[in-house]
Amino acid sequence: MAARIYLNGQWFFGSLALVLSIGFMTATASSDAATNAQTRAGWQLLQRGETGLVVAMRHAIAPGTGDPANFKLGDCSTQRNLSAQGQTQAKQIGAEFRNRNIKVSRILSSQWCRCLETAKLLNLGKVEPLPALNSFFSNSSKKSGQTATIRKLILNNRNTKGAIILVTHQVNITAITDIIPQSGEAVILKSDGQGKIKIVGRIGGF
């Protein structure tokens, strides 16, 4: 049976499967365009060197979910780690910062190995481990305390010159922004000086 769908100002006709396929491809293209626009805007914001910018970045590609049952902090052999692709991705992200002459004031990282390695491979400066950035994927009771600490950090640095990079986990970023970032993607945050934290940009696509 023929079906039709109205997208972007025009009608598409055909079999239901074809129409749905066209709709999916159109929606995907629109989503990709929006993501690219956000990324361009995010880089421009960082290049302008505004004060108080905090870049909450998810660690680079590390295949899998969560951590093995024998996980031990400080023992990378028991953890989920960056793949070769993830290592390349982290280096590419750092190169983008350098090529765009973006000033970075601090780099803070979760104590998980995949985050520390991501932060070091950025090659943008000294990496400082920060427990508040650790994953609470397996222990949600730590969510509120850690999230409050990071929010306070962002508020306290609203006048800091140079971006602060936080290398952390998906759950940590989602807790603050409601955004589920891809591996290597970052959300740019800034305090408005009245106790509120705003999302002012995103960078990704690596």
Side-chain angles (χ1 to χ4, degrees):
M1 181 176 68
R4 65 178 184 168
I5 186 171
Y6 187 77
L7 286 169
N8 295 336
Q10 58 183 313
W11 286 99
F12 293 92
F13 297 86
S15 68
L16 180 59
L18 176 61
V19 170
L20 291 175
S21 178
I22 292 172
F24 175 78
M25 289 188 292
T26 303
T28 300
S30 298
S31 177
D32 289 345
T35 299
N36 291 336
Q38 288 180 326
T39 295
R40 286 194 298 272
W43 284 122
Q44 291 169 0
L45 183 65
L46 290 168
Q47 286 177 292
R48 288 201 296 269
E50 293 186 19
T51 59
L53 296 180
V54 176
V55 181
M57 180 184 298
R58 184 179 179 182
H59 60 77
I61 298 168
T65 303
D67 286 292
N70 62 337
F71 170 87
K72 292 181 181 178
L73 190 63
D75 184 351
C76 296
S77 69
T78 67
Q79 300 182 33
R80 224 178 84 219
N81 296 300
L82 299 189
S83 62
Q85 184 181 5
Q87 293 170 337
T88 297
Q89 184 187 44
K91 293 175 183 177
Q92 289 175 336
I93 297 170
E96 285 288 343
F97 273 83
R98 291 190 297 277
N99 292 340
R100 296 170 186 271
N101 296 313
I102 295 169
K103 181 180 179 182
V104 176
S105 62
R106 296 179 73 186
I107 305 173
L108 305 174
S109 173
S110 157
Q111 294 174 297
W112 266 234
C113 292
R114 56 184 175 273
C115 289
L116 288 170
E117 185 176 16
T118 297
K120 291 173 182 176
L121 289 175
L122 293 176
N123 194 26
L124 295 173
K126 178 183 176 182
V127 177
E128 305 172 53
L130 181 66
L133 293 171
N134 290 354
S135 174
F136 46 75
F137 180 81
S138 299
N139 187 354
S140 60
S141 67
K142 295 183 178 181
K143 175 180 177 179
S144 59
Q146 290 183 211
T147 301
T149 298
I150 298 306
R151 291 183 63 86
K152 184 177 180 180
L153 184 153
I154 296 169
L155 293 172
N156 289 346
N157 284 277
R158 61 183 176 273
N159 297 316
T160 298
K161 294 182 179 180
I164 295 177
I165 298 177
L166 310 178
V167 183
T168 185
H169 308 262
Q170 174 263 308
V171 290
N172 302 66
I173 295 172
T174 303
I176 295 176
T177 67
D178 289 328
I179 291 172
I180 300 176
Q182 299 296 312
S183 298
E185 184 180 4
V187 182
I188 306 173
L189 306 169
K190 184 175 182 177
S191 166
D192 64 1
Q194 299 178 342
K196 295 182 179 180
I197 295 172
K198 295 183 177 180
I199 299 169
V200 295
R202 293 172 73 171
I203 52 176
F206 300 98

